[in-house]
Amino acid sequence: MKACIALEDGTVFEGTSFTGRGETTGEMVFNTGMSGYQELLSDPSYKGQIVTMTYPLIGNYGINEEDMESGRVQVEAFIVREYCPFPSNFRATGTLAELLQKYGVLGIEGVDTRALTRHLRTAGAMKGIVSTEDLDHASLVAKAKAAPGLVGRDLAREVTCREPYVWTAAGPKPGTNFAGAGPGRFKVVAIDYGLKYNQLRMLAERDCQVQVVSCDTDADTILGLNPDGVFLSNGPGDPAGIPGVSETIRALLGKKPIFGICLGNQLLGLAYGGKTYKLKFGHRGINQPVKDLTTGKVEITSQNHGFCIDMDSLNPEEVELTHINLSDNSVEGIRHRRFPAFSVQYHPENAPGPHDAAYLFDRFVAMMAK
């Protein structure tokens, strides 16, 4: 089934759908990972985005229930050079097409993804549309221009949990006050801005009971749960577009140890009084180099973000820069000099990998143990 991909600047690509009919809009971005497509698809940080993979063959190892990072596929559409309909892997329980079809998400193949990626690297991430219904180029470009962008949108409230839950060995279980969370020395409240399940697994592996609350939960409610620490999750979109959240985090500073990842890092920066800005095409992949300025070591990291903290907007006497991206020197980690709070822009929870930064969860646990 023929499909068209149009960008707001008038660029058009053609391909075929391997999931059926449909039409959708979103921000067009690319991911440089060779594997991990199921984790990517189910990562809530991709809400509002159409993702193209730079690796040419996708779907070859299938999908399974264990590798889902949330309760559903989150991307708006998925674009690949070549789709593999016959997976070969002992863990596979289904195909990529079946997963996308289950959640009504378009999958497009036969696209010159190298040309699309090069265009986005040059011109920047932009609004786009994917359609099998409307193949008129001028019409599609007009629709792409009229689509909502990510700047200023509160996407976290679209993907956050609808009710509190505790994390168990079997997965999410509705409840509050850590009841049913199982054994664990430390109690952690995880604020869900669009979190990935493996973040909860890694906390649980480190002797933590985890209570998950929605992104609009106020500071008094969180402190009323009497946690040993607060975790700020990843999530989609513009951190400045989520009203009231930075004020909540500011009210928690100094009261409990805080660890933030990705959007949680940006929200901490806003809570410190800083600003964020949109990157030209963002960082998305599992092969992104980051330098830890405190040790001099380089980590290969998993990343998915289109916004970044403006370090010049923060008071250097209050906030220390701890990590930088070696591709463009953008901010990848900060910590407060007075309060027990630190965060990173990348994803140390290693789903699908790499494992270089898992030590950050140990650092958070050590901070709670003091």
Side-chain angles (χ1 to χ4, degrees), residues 230-249:
V230 176
F231 175 73
L232 311 178
S233 83
N234 64 292
D238 185 356
I242 313 174
V245 169
S246 59
E247 289 80 6
T248 296
I249 296 172

Side-chain angles (χ1 to χ4, degrees), residues 292-323:
D292 184 342
L293 299 179
T294 64
T295 65
K297 293 182 178 180
V298 175
E299 304 165 13
I300 302 302
T301 69
S302 176
Q303 299 200 14
N304 172 23
H305 62 276
F307 292 81
C308 186
I309 293 172
D310 178 2
M311 199 64 199
D312 292 336
S313 68
L314 293 170
N315 181 354
E317 295 183 359
E318 293 283 329
V319 183
E320 177 187 4
L321 176 66
T322 59
H323 297 75

Side-chain angles (χ1 to χ4, degrees), residues 116-266:
L116 176 55
T117 298
R118 284 174 61 86
H119 184 71
L120 294 176
R121 276 191 59 90
T122 302
M126 65 185 76
K127 295 183 291 183
I129 185 170
V130 179
S131 180
T132 65
E133 307 290 340
D134 181 357
L135 303 180
D136 181 80
H137 292 187
S139 172
L140 290 173
V141 171
K143 290 178 182 179
K145 290 180 179 179
L150 294 189
V151 176
R153 286 178 65 188
D154 182 0
L155 289 173
R157 283 182 170 80
E158 295 186 27
V159 297
T160 192
C161 58
R162 298 296 171 236
E163 60 179 342
Y165 66 86
V166 292
W167 183 254
T168 71
K173 176 184 176 182
T176 56
N177 294 314
F178 299 93
R185 176 184 174 189
F186 304 102
K187 293 182 178 180
V188 175
V189 169
I191 306 178
D192 179 11
Y193 305 110
L195 60 74
K196 294 172 65 179
Y197 286 159
N198 213 44
Q199 295 166 351
L200 308 182
R201 296 186 190 103
M202 292 187 73
L203 287 169
E205 289 170 359
R206 287 161 173 78
D207 208 17
C208 295
Q209 302 177 51
V210 187
Q211 168 73 62
V212 180
V213 299
S214 65
C215 67
D216 55 4
T217 305
D218 60 68
D220 288 341
T221 299
I222 293 169
L223 293 173
L225 293 169
N226 194 30
D228 297 298
V230 176
F231 175 73
L232 311 178
S233 83
N234 64 292
D238 185 356
I242 313 174
V245 169
S246 59
E247 289 80 6
T248 296
I249 296 172
R250 193 176 300 122
L252 296 171
L253 283 172
K255 297 182 175 66
K256 300 292 180 180
I258 298 176
F259 174 30
I261 288 176
C262 197
L263 182 62
N265 172 66
Q266 297 161 5

Side-chain angles (χ1 to χ4, degrees), residues 16-39:
T16 58
S17 170
F18 61 88
T19 57
R21 308 183 69 88
E23 181 175 296
T24 189
T25 61
E27 181 183 62
M28 192 74 64
V29 301
F30 61 88
N31 184 289
T32 59
M34 294 176 65
S35 62
Y37 53 81
Q38 184 175 347
E39 292 90 340

